[in-house]
Amino acid sequence: MTSHSDSGPANDTLTAQASAFLRGTKTAEALSPTLASAIYVERNLASGESLAQTLGSALIHGQNVVITGSAGGGKTMLLDRIREWLRLNASPEIDFQFIPDFTAAGESQEHRVELLRRCLDRGPTLIAANEGPLLGT
């Protein structure tokens, strides 16, 4: 993560990107990989493992993972971290499935259910979803 004491063109560019993002209406998915990495705050569990490592390990062991939260809460950034951790640590033979925005996937509830079934049939699945639609609100 870039500290406030860093200076130079790279920091100026990140500062300008962050400022433009904060003034705009785009979601975190629109962040450049460099800016996303610079503002990401790693969370470690009591075990010392990162959340991405713990959830990635669950996927490696065949478990399915659902990440829910409010819009803009960091689900996509966490999903990207898990994907990167899996790329570095998992066998390429495991066919992981990712649904990065379940609540926006498909035109109907039936389409989303079918997508979920197909993914679960193929391999360990990670789903990210805004919590509001899941709660029926």
Side-chain angles (χ1 to χ4, degrees), residues 43-52 54-55:
R43 292 292 190 203
N44 289 329
L45 304 176
S47 65
E49 291 184 331
S50 72
L51 184 55
T54 299
L55 297 177

Side-chain angles (χ1 to χ4, degrees), residues 30-136:
L31 292 174
S32 72
T34 304
L35 181 57
S37 180
I39 65 173
Y40 186 78
V41 176
E42 188 72 48
R43 292 292 190 203
N44 289 329
L45 304 176
S47 65
E49 291 184 331
S50 72
L51 184 55
Q53 180 180 358
T54 299
L55 297 177
S57 293
L59 287 163
I60 287 174
H61 290 96
Q63 297 178 8
N64 300 305
V65 174
V66 177
I67 301 170
T68 65
S70 59
K75 298 176 299 295
T76 300
M77 290 181 98
L78 178 57
L79 184 140
D80 290 343
R81 295 293 173 154
I82 294 168
R83 279 185 172 169
E84 179 62 16
W85 188 89
L86 290 169
R87 185 185 70 75
L88 296 171
N89 295 283
S91 167
E93 297 166 4
I94 302 174
D95 189 14
F96 298 107
Q97 303 297 305
F98 299 95
I99 305 174
D101 190 353
F102 184 70
T103 50
E107 300 141 8
S108 66
Q109 184 69 9
E110 292 79 20
H111 182 268
R112 287 187 289 278
V113 168
E114 181 56 32
L115 171 65
L116 180 57
R117 283 188 183 132
R118 284 194 318 265
C119 287
L120 292 172
D121 286 344
R122 290 183 187 143
T125 301
L126 187 150
I127 304 160
N130 290 339
E131 62 192 7
L134 295 176
L135 299 172

